[in-house]
Amino acid sequence: MEIVQTVSEWKPMILPTLESKANEFQMMGYSRANPDEVWDCLVKKVWKGDPEKRIYEVVQDIFHLGSGTYISYLTVEAYQDDDLFASISALTLGEQEEGG
């Protein structure tokens, strides 16, 4: 019988695989790659949530994660962070103008 769990339940067991993938991206020139970003990319771009999978499927997904998908994920995250900072800035400037 094969065990099926959510991908988040498998995470502690497959951490070495995430580290390996992060190291692979670092060797390709993505010096800031780390296991947490690789995991977040998989959750948001590949799995789109926390689906149930067998451990070999999770490992396979990690090894098959391409640099294009990873860079796409980082780009979207960077734009969303910029939007967040712009929103915060607009709010704080608006408060300053109203108060001052």
Side-chain angles (χ1 to χ4, degrees), residues 16-46:
T17 310
L18 291 169
E19 291 169 350
S20 175
K21 184 51 106 171
N23 288 337
E24 177 186 327
F25 286 144
Q26 289 171 3
M27 285 193 274
M28 295 173 69
Y30 308 117
S31 59
R32 292 182 39 217
N34 63 60
D36 289 331
E37 278 187 346
V38 171
W39 179 261
D40 291 342
C41 175
L42 288 159
V43 168
K44 292 179 181 177
K45 299 283 276 185
V46 176

Side-chain angles (χ1 to χ4, degrees), residues 45-91:
K45 299 283 276 185
V46 176
W47 300 320
K48 296 179 177 41
D50 195 20
E52 290 188 346
K53 289 184 168 269
R54 292 167 182 82
I55 192 166
Y56 71 85
E57 294 172 316
V58 176
V59 171
Q60 181 178 16
D61 289 343
I62 294 167
F63 282 138
H64 284 132
L65 178 63
S67 61
T69 302
Y70 181 66
I71 294 305
S72 172
Y73 162 77
L74 292 178
T75 302
V76 169
E77 290 296 306
Y79 281 126
Q80 288 176 348
D81 286 347
D82 285 347
D83 289 344
L84 174 63
F85 290 128
S87 298
I88 291 170
S89 178
L91 287 173

